[in-house]
Amino acid sequence: TAIISGTTSLCIGDTAELSVALTGTAPFSLEFSDGFTANNIQVSPYIREVSPAQTTQYSITEVSDVNCSNTGTGNATITINPLLTATISGTTSICAGESAELSVTLNGTAPFSLEFSDGFTANNIETSPYVREVSPAQTTQYSIIEVSDINCSNTGTGAATITINPLPTATISGTTSICAGESAELSVALTGTAPFSLEFSDGFTAN
């Protein structure tokens, strides 16, 4: 006889073990339902490692020993969990000191854990998307180094770049003395990206 066992779930690329308990007189030969054969088996149980690309049920179509042959009993189902994904987005520009939101769309079975490229981690995430607020001191690109759910782990996809725009500056000059009724010029040297708006201390605005 040959009794197969080993039903389990795994992630794509992982391996699982099928165990076949044998009775009879060695050596044994086995033929599995997927066409795989094993010969000259001397001990029981026989262990076979499998790594199917999709959910697969295995059984023993034939077992033979030194004397006889028979069909096996039982089956083992290897269930492949769906591919876990984490896609980051949120590319934008902000001024120094401001904050922006990164959004990570998750596909899998909660709870999720995330590790970002800047070392930040988030655990026990129950819903998608996951939103993270960031306020980098300089232009920074964020990606997902690793995402894991209750079953599997994977690398994330995409990237989000937060560009830090330099703060504009306005330097006023023009100190002078005038007589009543005369006028004077104030000069404001500007750095940044036009168009500019100015508000003076006396309430005057220029746009």
Side-chain angles (χ1 to χ4, degrees):
T1 64
I3 303 173
I4 191 171
S5 60
T7 292
T8 191
S9 297
L10 51 81
C11 302
I12 293 175
D14 289 346
T15 59
E17 286 189 348
L18 305 177
S19 178
V20 184
L22 300 162
T23 63
T25 305
F28 301 92
S29 294
L30 293 173
E31 182 179 345
F32 289 77
S33 53
D34 64 343
F36 178 85
T37 58
N39 299 307
N40 200 34
I41 301 167
Q42 298 293 331
V43 295
S44 176
Y46 170 75
I47 303 297
R48 176 189 169 191
E49 274 197 352
V50 294
S51 182
Q54 59 191 9
T55 297
T56 304
Q57 185 181 83
Y58 297 87
S59 60
I60 303 299
T61 54
E62 185 176 14
V63 54
S64 59
D65 68 359
V66 73
N67 297 309
C68 304
S69 62
N70 196 7
T71 55
T73 57
N75 56 69
T77 300
I78 307 301
T79 301
I80 303 300
N81 294 313
L83 184 65
L84 169 64
T85 62
T87 305
I88 192 172
S89 60
T91 293
T92 191
S93 297
I94 60 173
C95 296
E98 294 182 343
S99 60
E101 286 188 346
L102 305 176
S103 179
V104 183
T105 301
L106 299 162
N107 181 32
T109 305
F112 301 93
S113 294
L114 292 172
E115 181 182 350
F116 288 77
S117 53
D118 64 342
F120 177 85
T121 58
N123 300 306
N124 203 34
I125 302 166
E126 295 290 342
T127 58
S128 176
Y130 170 75
V131 176
R132 176 189 170 193
E133 197 171 83
V134 294
S135 183
Q138 57 192 7
T139 296
T140 304
Q141 184 182 80
Y142 297 88
S143 60
I144 302 299
I145 300 299
E146 184 176 19
V147 55
S148 59
D149 68 358
I150 198 169
N151 297 310
C152 304
S153 62
N154 197 8
T155 54
T157 57
T161 300
I162 308 300
T163 301
I164 304 301
N165 294 317
L167 289 174
T169 65
T171 305
I172 192 170
S173 61
T175 296
T176 190
S177 298
I178 60 173
C179 297
E182 293 180 345
S183 62
E185 286 188 348
L186 302 177
S187 177
V188 183
L190 300 165
T191 65
T193 306
F196 300 94
S197 295
L198 294 172
E199 182 180 350
F200 289 78
S201 55
D202 63 348
F204 177 83
T205 58
N207 298 305

